[in-house]
Amino acid sequence: MPIRNASYTPPLLFRNSHISTIYPTIFRKVTGIHQKRERVELDDGDFIDLDWSYAKSQKSKKLAIIIHGLEGNAQRQYILGLAKHLNQNDWDAAAVNLRNCSGEMNRLYRSYNAGVSDDLDKIIKHINTANDYPSISICGFSLGGNITLKYLGEERSIPSNIKAGVAISAPCDLYDSLLAINKSTNFIYKNRFIRHLKAKLLEKQVVFPDKISIEDIRACTTLMDIDDLYTSKAHGYTNALDYYTKCSSRQFLKNIQIPTLIINAQNDSFLGDQCYPIEEANENSNLFLEIPSYGGHVGFFLPGKIYYNESGTLDFFEKSLTNNV
């Protein structure tokens, strides 16, 4: 499908990538949304927590599954903003807390990564067993966007009630995204990720001292170090590069068979050139790619309360139900 024209024109200040990225995290406060937690017990003995919010009618037959990014959770403002906007427009929302991201350590040594489409599959099967939603759509942010795209493009049987997918600020090539984050202009974000990930690994070490040592954790100075030490090994990959190669969603985009939209800002400092799948979008009639000039990483601020990506996601979901994308 040809590349979609982007209509996003933010105020002048928010044309700066870093302001777009940082402002929502620090200053945005989404209120007026109530979430109800459900714990999903998994066959491997672990759990995933879902935070549900509902349309005012309480009779919606449309559900959005929303997936956060690296070291996020279902209470991030970008999750709450989208869930609230969907709720106000007759959609229920199930916001996923990936393993070890809901405020309580998960039970297994493994946790989550950018390729855990198997966990998304488990969540969808659970929801379909326990509920009656004729229409389910999925929206993933950043790492969650990569998971969404990977799930939709893998060789699997996707339930017929999965109608659409949206990926916001998706690192479609994980290694290329890593190289982008490693640039000196991103040192604040990189150091924050490393600090949070190492803190979680130290918690894991207390429970699994035979699998990882304090010395090895403290020796990690880059995200790739962490992926070499833990992320890859804990999830069955040989090393970080093997993990990046096998979990990058770009290789699966050609197989997507339901309407799917990717919104990646041109000035997103977390994304390298390989994270903009122009060729794949041109060759797959189900894949829509929008590259706004501005937006940073999961930014897309607009004056008022509804962000550009939120209105765009709702619009795409609704149009997908009528085959009018």
Side-chain angles (χ1 to χ4, degrees), residues 19-205:
I19 291 175
S20 292
T21 301
I22 295 171
Y23 178 90
T25 301
I26 298 177
F27 296 106
R28 191 182 192 193
K29 304 298 178 186
V30 177
T31 60
I33 177 171
H34 175 71
Q35 292 179 316
K36 181 179 179 180
R37 177 156 292 185
E38 177 191 14
R39 175 153 295 181
V40 180
E41 295 289 343
L42 304 175
D43 291 341
D44 61 9
D46 215 343
F47 66 89
I48 290 176
D49 288 330
L50 304 180
D51 288 328
W52 290 79
S53 59
Y54 298 96
K56 291 182 179 179
S57 68
Q58 294 292 310
K59 297 180 180 179
S60 177
K61 293 298 183 180
K62 298 178 292 187
L63 173 69
I65 297 173
I66 310 174
I67 310 170
H68 62 76
L70 180 65
E71 285 305 280
N73 56 49
Q75 283 67 56
R76 288 290 192 264
Q77 298 304 302
Y78 61 85
I79 300 288
L80 296 177
L82 177 58
K84 181 178 179 180
H85 186 52
L86 290 166
N87 293 161
Q88 291 175 334
N89 287 274
D90 201 34
W91 285 73
D92 292 345
V96 177
N97 296 278
L98 296 170
R99 301 192 198 211
N100 209 31
C101 292
S102 65
E104 179 180 339
M105 185 187 297
N106 67 309
R107 299 171 189 142
L108 304 184
Y109 182 59
R110 64 160 293 179
S111 55
Y112 77 101
N113 62 61
V116 289
S117 51
D118 54 332
D119 278 354
L120 178 54
D121 186 56
K122 292 181 178 74
I123 291 165
I124 291 171
K125 287 177 178 175
H126 167 79
I127 289 173
N128 275 337
T129 298
N131 303 272
D132 178 24
Y133 285 106
S135 300
I136 297 177
S137 292
I138 309 167
C139 180
F141 290 85
S142 193
L143 174 144
N146 189 78
I147 294 171
T148 299
L149 297 171
K150 181 172 178 281
Y151 169 82
L152 294 174
E154 288 177 318
E155 293 183 1
R156 68 169 73 247
S157 177
I158 294 178
S160 60
N161 62 338
I162 303 297
K163 302 299 184 182
V166 173
I168 309 295
S169 303
C172 301
D173 186 301
L174 296 174
Y175 184 61
D176 202 40
S177 177
L178 175 81
L179 295 178
I181 293 173
N182 280 341
K183 292 180 179 179
S184 59
T185 52
N186 287 325
F187 74 95
I188 294 176
Y189 313 119
K190 179 186 67 175
N191 290 343
R192 182 173 180 270
F193 283 139
I194 291 171
R195 185 171 65 253
H196 285 203
L197 290 166
K198 289 176 72 171
K200 280 192 173 180
L201 285 184
L202 289 171
E203 293 176 351
K204 284 283 185 187
Q205 195 279 331

Side-chain angles (χ1 to χ4, degrees), residues 261-275:
L261 171 65
I262 301 172
I263 303 178
N264 281 358
Q266 186 65 58
N267 72 342
D268 188 333
S269 65
F270 288 26
L271 304 182
D273 291 343
Q274 297 305 310
C275 294

Side-chain angles (χ1 to χ4, degrees), residues 3 13 32 45 69 94 105 112 115 145 149 211 214 221 226 255 263 271 284 286 299 307 321:
I3 310 304
L13 183 66
M105 185 187 297
Y112 77 101
L149 297 171
K211 291 184 178 292
I214 294 176
T221 59
I226 293 172
N255 302 321
I263 303 178
L271 304 182
N284 185 345
N286 295 304
Y307 278 32
L321 298 180

